[in-house]
Amino acid sequence: MKEFVFDRAADVEGALALAQAGPGVRYLGGGTNLVDLMKLGVETPEHLVDLSRLPLDRIEVADDGGLLIGATVSNSDLAAHPVVRSAYPALAQALLAGASGQLRNMATVAGNLMQRTRCAYFTDVTKPCNKRLPGSGCPARTGEHHNLAILGGSEHCVATHPSDFAVPLVALDAVVHVHEASGPRDIPLGDFYRLPGDTPEREVTVDPGALITGISVPALPMAAGSRYRKVRERASYAFAVGSVAAALDVRDGTVRDVRLALGAVAPLPWRARRAEEALIAGPADERAFAAAADAELEHARPLPDNAYKVPLVRTLMIRMLTELSEAQR
């Protein structure tokens, strides 16, 4: 591992100042992703700024029932929080599905959002990768891509975002609170990530050195019935090959409101807007759920070895919506 300078920030302003001091600075939360990438030589920071002492480790319930999650809250603490388990169960389910207890104890919620793809070409420094080395190419398109993107990819990158937690957050309209050199900013999580286009190395819409300070999840009554479901290649902890987060509000057999997001199918947590639009004010039955899934996946552009994800995710969506609908009868 390359040598680096290590500093521990005492407050947000101090962390930002250290990050602006020069190039090659990275923030260190739990380190469960960054340290692995440093060992592989994918990340080679010259300066690490430890955030573990920042006063951002609280989970607060707003007067309106919404949730404010500090950036350094551990995945374990959030998954175990009684309000999260009762009012936002999809968040707890996603966190529990995402990693072992040891990793959840170390990993932070902000670090979870910022983790990087597990595409084999990205994590192997002997191979080309436009995300790691812009302009070097994307060998995944003709090589190993069985678990890569079917939505939102480009000629330059078909990597998927690995976070389970981000999928229900996107579905539930979460907002990320960020401090940049110019000051604080609130960004809907759906606008926080970038599609790869021709610049796959640019993964988020904030400036380098920006610091996530928290995540807000708005009060949403139907979130109490939300669910997250993940399909993986083995029963033990593994990254998803497809996942769905959903919340559904049905009254008298009609869909009054719905939130849907997909994981492991795109370079970012994918909000299924077309499916949502197809469902609103329509019948809550399996035929309508299938039509909505088809409307979303009509724009899928799978490669030869990941085309299985289209029927897999379609089935996941239909089953999830059917279960949520039946639970309200």
Side-chain angles (χ1 to χ4, degrees), residues 16 87 172 179 236 258 275:
L16 287 169
L172 299 177
H179 273 251
S236 62
V258 60

Side-chain angles (χ1 to χ4, degrees), residues 9-185:
D11 52 38
V12 170
E13 291 73 18
L16 287 169
L18 288 167
Q20 300 299 322
V25 181
R26 293 287 188 277
Y27 292 126
L28 179 69
T32 56
N33 182 213
L34 176 60
V35 173
D36 283 347
L37 293 177
M38 291 171 65
K39 292 176 181 178
L40 293 169
V42 175
E43 290 274 10
T44 55
E46 299 175 6
H47 190 170
L48 287 184
V49 179
D50 177 27
L51 306 176
S52 61
R53 303 287 178 86
L54 297 188
L56 301 173
D57 59 350
R58 296 183 61 188
I59 304 168
E60 301 176 35
V61 181
D63 292 341
D64 66 356
L67 205 61
L68 176 60
I69 308 162
T72 63
V73 169
S74 75
N75 288 356
S76 288
D77 285 348
L78 186 62
H81 194 279
V83 173
V84 174
R85 292 170 68 90
S86 61
Y88 304 93
L91 298 183
Q93 292 164 9
L95 290 167
L96 293 171
S100 67
Q102 295 94 325
L103 286 173
R104 292 197 303 270
N105 288 342
M106 286 295 297
T108 64
V109 295
N112 193 312
L113 299 185
M114 292 299 293
Q115 63 182 302
R116 307 196 71 188
T117 185
R118 269 48 175 203
C119 174
Y121 298 99
F122 174 75
T123 57
D124 184 348
V125 295
T126 69
K127 301 292 194 298
C129 171
N130 285 324
K131 187 178 287 293
R132 179 170 33 80
L133 186 62
S136 61
C138 179
R141 293 190 62 85
T142 55
E144 169 53 45
H145 56 250
H146 86 280
N147 196 22
L148 299 185
I150 60 172
L151 292 162
S154 74
E155 293 296 317
H156 302 277
C157 184
V158 288
T160 51
H161 195 273
S163 174
D164 291 287
F165 178 50
V167 181
L169 283 178
V170 164
L172 299 177
D173 292 323
V175 173
V176 181
H177 305 294
V178 175
H179 273 251
E180 297 175 292
S182 57
R185 189 153 65 105

Side-chain angles (χ1 to χ4, degrees), residues 248-257 282-284 325 328:
L248 185 67
D249 181 11
V250 176
R251 183 68 58 85
D252 298 327
T254 299
V255 176
R256 297 203 308 174
D257 199 0
S325 175
Q328 297 181 48

Side-chain angles (χ1 to χ4, degrees), residues 317-329:
M317 294 173 72
I318 295 169
R319 287 185 178 177
M320 175 74 83
L321 290 166
T322 300
E323 289 175 13
L324 291 175
S325 175
E326 290 176 348
Q328 297 181 48
R329 290 180 182 174

